Amino acid sequence: MLSFSQLLWLFCSQIFILLSQCTYVKDLKSSCNTCKQIADNFSKGLDRTKKQNFGGGNTAWEERALSKYETSEIRLVEILENLCDSSSFECNHMVEEHEDHFETWWFKRQKKHPDLYNWFCIDTIKVCCSKGTFGPDCNACVGGSERPCHGNGVCDGDGTRGGNGGCNCDHGYKGEFCLDCIDGYFSEIRNDTFSLCTECHASCKTCTGLTNEDCEECKTGWGEDDEGTCLDVNECLNDPPLCKEDQYCLNTDGSFSCKGCDKVCSGCTGAGPDKCQSCAPGYQDTEGTCTDVNECEQPDAVCTAENQECVNNKGSYICICASRYEEQDGVCVKIPEPEENEEVAETVKHPEEHEDL
């Protein structure tokens, strides 16, 4: 029997192997992407240098003496120097490592193999595969290389030396071959090599056709009537209510939402001051709409302290000191007139004169 330390070592070893395999697969896919980018940039370089020449004063002599610029080593070097960004280590490393292959293709293989990507990335350094194939041996993807995943998904590792060839199905499809339909879709056309999954009506969880009469099972929030048609359930008719007292219920297809009542309402059935069940304090019902109560116009005064005035606001009121009065210690006192202020100041300045008087 293995000891705990041996079991732990075995477990860690398996984890390390799995992580290494994942990294290896990722590196294989990355290498192919890098190679494809190099081939694309090489093609752009060919276009960019198509109308150039040696750059000297006598182009005709240079082409006779040094061979044509079109197939010259000088043009090749100019293209190679611009294949990668300076910050891309993987790209620059691949170009440097396989520079001799570029020279071979440029001088010896270009006419017979005009597609650099196929010759270099697939056939020569073997980091990519043809479209519709995957893995070290470029095996056909599930569903065949012509239509991987039967046209309803993406083959894992498609076009690279990595991946497992399995299908990542498009939305609406499922299964190993992406021929089956997920819930909410039905198979409009289906044979051994082709499937067309079409979305069901919004009310259907599963269905056999496009309408709400074709549902096999209704979605949550929908209910089946006597004829088997899926119809919206109006949750707003639920008893007890599903929303809070200061909210109203808004029904939607297959669901509902709770919305806040207008601030003038105490309970409501919908949006706005005309949908109140009753009016909030400070508001009154005016022909079915809650409007502000002007407390300042009530028969009985609400501001009863001396020298106060009432100011109405929405849903309430405030009491302030009347004009030419100010609040001091909770009492409205008169603000002294300018002449009174001068007399008070004079009294403070010459108190003996006022005492004689």
Side-chain angles (χ1 to χ4, degrees):
M1 184 175 178
L2 296 174
S3 66
F4 175 77
S5 59
Q6 290 174 319
L7 289 172
L8 182 61
W9 179 86
L10 184 61
F11 174 77
C12 293
S13 299
Q14 293 297 319
I15 294 295
F16 176 77
I17 292 172
L18 288 173
L19 290 174
S20 299
Q21 289 175 340
C22 291
T23 302
Y24 176 68
V25 169
K26 182 179 180 181
D27 288 345
L28 288 174
K29 293 180 179 179
S30 177
S31 295
C32 180
N33 290 334
T34 300
C35 194
K36 186 173 183 179
Q37 186 62 54
I38 289 172
D40 289 343
N41 288 343
F42 199 103
S43 179
K44 292 175 183 177
L46 286 173
D47 290 338
R48 188 180 63 253
T49 58
K50 184 164 52 178
K51 295 183 179 180
Q52 291 180 205
N53 51 45
F54 289 102
N58 191 337
T59 302
W61 177 86
E62 288 171 340
E63 289 187 344
R64 285 196 305 272
L66 303 175
S67 80
K68 290 188 176 297
Y69 174 80
E70 181 183 1
T71 56
S72 69
E73 185 173 1
I74 292 176
R75 186 184 182 194
L76 172 63
V77 171
E78 288 180 1
I79 294 173
L80 291 177
E81 287 177 346
N82 291 282
L83 288 181
C84 307
D85 292 334
S86 59
S87 60
S88 178
F89 171 79
E90 187 174 3
C91 179
N92 284 289
H93 178 70
M94 184 174 288
V95 171
E96 291 172 8
E97 184 180 9
H98 301 292
E99 188 172 349
D100 56 331
H101 290 312
F102 288 107
E103 293 178 357
T104 298
W105 179 82
W106 182 257
F107 294 114
K108 299 179 181 180
R109 302 285 189 270
Q110 187 175 173
K111 288 185 178 180
K112 187 176 180 180
H113 303 280
D115 191 324
L116 176 63
Y117 172 73
N118 285 338
W119 183 85
F120 179 63
C121 300
I122 297 176
D123 298 331
T124 303
I125 67 172
K126 301 184 187 300
V127 294
C128 296
C129 292
S130 300
K131 188 172 177 60
T133 63
F134 76 98
D137 300 320
C138 293
N139 297 318
C141 291
V142 170
S145 59
E146 295 298 318
R147 292 180 66 248
C149 305
H150 298 98
N152 300 325
V154 177
C155 168
D156 182 44
D158 190 354
T160 77
R161 297 282 171 158
N164 56 26
C167 291
N168 297 311
C169 299
D170 297 337
H171 183 67
Y173 297 86
K174 68 177 182 178
E176 181 182 358
F177 305 103
C178 297
L179 290 172
D180 301 322
C181 303
I182 64 172
D183 284 354
Y185 285 74
F186 71 98
S187 185
E188 191 168 356
I189 303 173
R190 169 71 186 264
N191 57 40
D192 292 340
T193 60
F194 181 81
S195 175
L196 175 62
C197 293
T198 303
E199 191 170 7
C200 299
H201 186 271
S203 63
C204 304
K205 182 177 181 181
T206 56
C207 69
T208 57
L210 288 170
T211 74
N212 60 341
E213 297 176 355
D214 300 315
C215 301
E216 294 179 323
E217 182 181 351
C218 299
K219 282 183 182 178
T220 302
W222 303 79
E224 192 175 290
D225 67 4
D226 295 337
E227 297 179 355
T229 301
C230 288
L231 301 175
D232 174 51
V233 174
N234 189 345
E235 294 86 353
C236 296
L237 300 178
N238 193 71
D239 188 20
L242 299 174
C243 297
K244 298 177 182 178
E245 291 183 1
D246 60 346
Q247 296 177 325
Y248 68 93
C249 181
L250 181 64
N251 187 56
T252 57
D253 286 344
S255 188
F256 72 99
S257 59
C258 294
K259 305 288 186 180
C261 294
D262 194 292
K263 65 180 182 179
V264 307
C265 300
S266 178
C268 65
T269 58
D274 59 336
K275 296 293 191 298
C276 300
Q277 292 176 328
S278 60
C279 298
Y283 295 89
Q284 61 187 355
D285 190 323
T286 304
E287 298 181 353
T289 299
C290 288
T291 59
D292 175 51
V293 173
N294 190 340
E295 292 86 354
C296 299
E297 295 180 353
Q298 299 296 311
D300 297 326
V302 291
C303 296
T304 56
E306 189 176 3
N307 301 318
Q308 276 189 335
E309 290 181 351
C310 178
V311 177
N312 185 60
N313 55 35
K314 291 184 178 181
S316 187
Y317 67 96
I318 57 173
C319 296
I320 64 172
C321 292
S323 177
R324 302 178 69 177
Y325 285 82
E326 65 180 3
E327 184 180 341
Q328 292 183 8
D329 299 327
V331 178
C332 291
V333 297
K334 188 175 182 180
I335 300 172
E337 296 291 339
E339 294 180 1
E340 294 177 1
N341 287 339
E342 291 176 6
E343 290 179 4
V344 171
E346 191 67 26
T347 301
V348 173
K349 189 174 182 181
H350 305 287
E352 67 282 353
E353 296 178 4
H354 292 272
E355 289 177 1
D356 292 341
L357 296 174

